[in-house]
Amino acid sequence: MNEAEAGRASGAGPGPDPRLDELRERLAAVRLRVDGAVAAAGRPGNRPQLIVVTKFHPAQDVRRLASLGITDVGENRDQEAAEKAAALRGLELRWHFIGQLQSNKAKSVVKYAHAVHSVDRLQLASALAKAMVAEHERTGRAPLECFIQVSLDDDADGHRGGARPADVPALAGLLAESEGLRLAGVMAVAPLGADPVVAFGKLAEVSAGLTADHPDATGISAGMSQDLETAIRFGATHLRIGSDILGPRPALG
Ligand SMILES: *Cc1c(COP(=O)(O)O)cnc(C)c1O
């Protein structure tokens, strides 16, 4: 391996790195869309936090993104996230867990996650709270940011996960009173085939209800590659963007 190849393999240069150039361009295009949507929504200076969803893409891409100024990345499977976080421990990154989560994974997730966007049931909230007590004792880490994932499907058991809006207050109460957890707000994925205007409008209502009881829980995690403009229009504070920055997800090996 010559020096240029070694540099490419490490993702740290020297030598050309076409993938880095590609990510830079895609990221710039997404930032332009975000800026346009922020301006159109009349909320200048109030840019949502960009979380780049790196699931199925190698740790090397996360390293490249960090070199482009990305601070927040999202993953949806514990094993993959834990491995990448361990491989990239030296970088200043905040890891956001955005996928359906089994309670028995709580212990693992609190070791690396800054936030969990997919808290959708009491049992999971309890497991995260318990895991955070132990993790805080061990490391003194900051509270885990918790977003309540809300189902926007009409049929309550939407396969994309989430609590029914009627169940949000109880879940919020538990998160708010749990040591080691911080109730950050709400999260949703627009149902497949549904109008994102309707979906994110509904999420904004759920958020308004939540902040009436919990004034600090102003987070709205909404907006993916396809619908980020609509999400921003309806008050998204956190965007979760994958494919428009990283390209199509590689097939699972
Ligand atoms: C994969 C994923 C995203 C990113 O979706 P893209 O369409 O690739 O931007 C966002 N949120 C969740 C919950 C995801 O699973």
Side-chain angles (χ1 to χ4, degrees), residues 39-167:
R43 42 182 279 196
N46 186 9
R47 246 181 172 210
Q49 173 69 54
L50 176 61
I51 299 164
V52 182
V53 178
T54 49
K55 63 189 184 199
F56 305 135
H57 292 279
Q60 206 50 254
D61 275 350
V62 183
R63 189 183 293 281
R64 291 184 174 97
L65 288 163
S67 80
L68 296 171
I70 290 300
T71 54
D72 290 75
V73 293
E75 289 283 338
N76 71 341
R77 295 189 308 173
D78 173 57
Q79 194 187 336
E80 183 179 344
E83 283 172 13
K84 284 184 200 167
L88 301 172
R89 200 171 292 132
L91 298 177
E92 300 240 338
L93 287 169
R94 291 188 295 202
W95 295 86
H96 296 253
F97 194 87
I98 63 171
Q100 288 191 22
L101 185 56
Q102 291 172 326
S103 299
N104 63 6
K105 298 283 169 61
K107 257 198 225 153
S108 170
V109 166
V110 301
K111 288 194 163 62
Y112 59 83
H114 161 79
V116 173
H117 291 239
S118 44
V119 182
D120 60 357
R121 58 199 192 281
L122 294 167
Q123 189 205 23
L124 176 58
S126 306
L128 289 169
K130 190 166 162 231
M132 272 301 300
V133 169
E135 189 63 14
H136 183 264
E137 251 168 45
R138 206 169 68 80
T139 65
R141 63 154 293 171
L144 181 72
E145 302 277 314
C146 292
F147 292 80
I148 297 175
Q149 182 172 359
V150 182
S151 170
L152 301 175
D153 275 324
D154 287 332
D155 92 75
D157 259 347
H159 57 281
R160 301 192 113 179
R164 289 178 306 152
D167 294 333

Side-chain angles (χ1 to χ4, degrees), residues 17-31 64-65 67-68 245:
D17 178 355
R19 178 62 170 158
L20 179 63
D21 297 337
E22 181 191 352
L23 291 175
R24 184 188 291 111
E25 278 163 32
R26 285 174 165 276
L27 185 59
V30 165
R31 287 202 197 284
R64 291 184 174 97
L65 288 163
S67 80
L68 296 171
I245 293 172

